[in-house]
Each structure stands twice: as structure tokens, then as C-alpha cells.
Amino acid sequence: MRQRTGQLVPEHERTAIDRAQHQDAERAAGHGLARFTGYLTVTATPETIEDACAALEADAAKARIEVRRMWFAQDSGFALGALPLGLGLPKRGW
């Protein structure tokens, strides 16, 4: 609409449009978007935990992975991330 009326299109909108067109081209080629969740754990001493978390977050950012800290949910985060349990699919009653 802005192009038709002669207004300038902001750079962030142009970037979003380019990204959307790129995703559409990938979907047309057979690729799809996937969203998944993984859990990471950091084991360190109380003195070094902040540095260890910062290093993990920096490595994740380099790999273009978004990580979030689990504040006040460390028990379930440890169970999901560190113990070899995993979460299975629900059983189907066939």
C-alpha cells in the first residue's frame, strides 16, 4: 500500500517481506517450518554458575538458537534436561 501511494517503506518492513517471501519459496520447494523444544542443563559451582550460563547462552546465540532460563522451575528442568527419562507420546487406545 505504501509503495502504491508513494510513501517510503521502512527497512524493518522490507526485511519482514523478504523473509516471508523466502519462507514461501522454501515451503513451495517442500521444506517446512518446525518448532521443537529442548532442555539444557548447566552444572557448576555457585561461584561460576553465571559465567557458565552466559557461555551457554552465547554459544546458543551463535547457533541461532533461542534459550530461556527456567526461573523457579529448576527441578522439572533438571528432570527433563539431565536425566535420561524423556517424554513419550500418549498411549492410544485402539
Side-chain angles (χ1 to χ4, degrees):
M1 181 66 133
R2 288 184 176 170
Q3 289 175 346
R4 281 190 255 155
T5 59
Q7 295 178 354
L8 293 176
V9 179
E11 184 63 31
H12 70 276
E13 285 186 17
R14 259 187 268 138
T15 304
I17 291 169
D18 291 343
R19 187 180 311 120
Q21 289 173 344
H22 181 72
Q23 287 178 351
D24 288 344
E26 286 182 346
R27 267 190 237 113
H31 303 282
L33 297 176
R35 181 175 294 218
F36 64 93
T37 302
Y39 292 89
L40 306 170
T41 58
V42 175
T43 304
T45 63
E47 297 82 24
T48 61
I49 190 74
E50 284 301 320
D51 292 336
C53 288
L56 176 73
E57 290 168 346
D59 290 342
K62 287 180 190 173
R64 300 180 71 188
I65 298 173
E66 177 187 346
V67 293
R68 295 185 212 158
R69 292 190 186 192
M70 295 180 69
W71 296 106
F72 305 110
Q74 289 85 354
D75 54 348
S76 59
F78 179 77
L80 291 170
L83 299 179
L85 300 174
L87 296 175
L89 296 173
K91 293 182 180 179
R92 296 189 154 200
W94 298 18

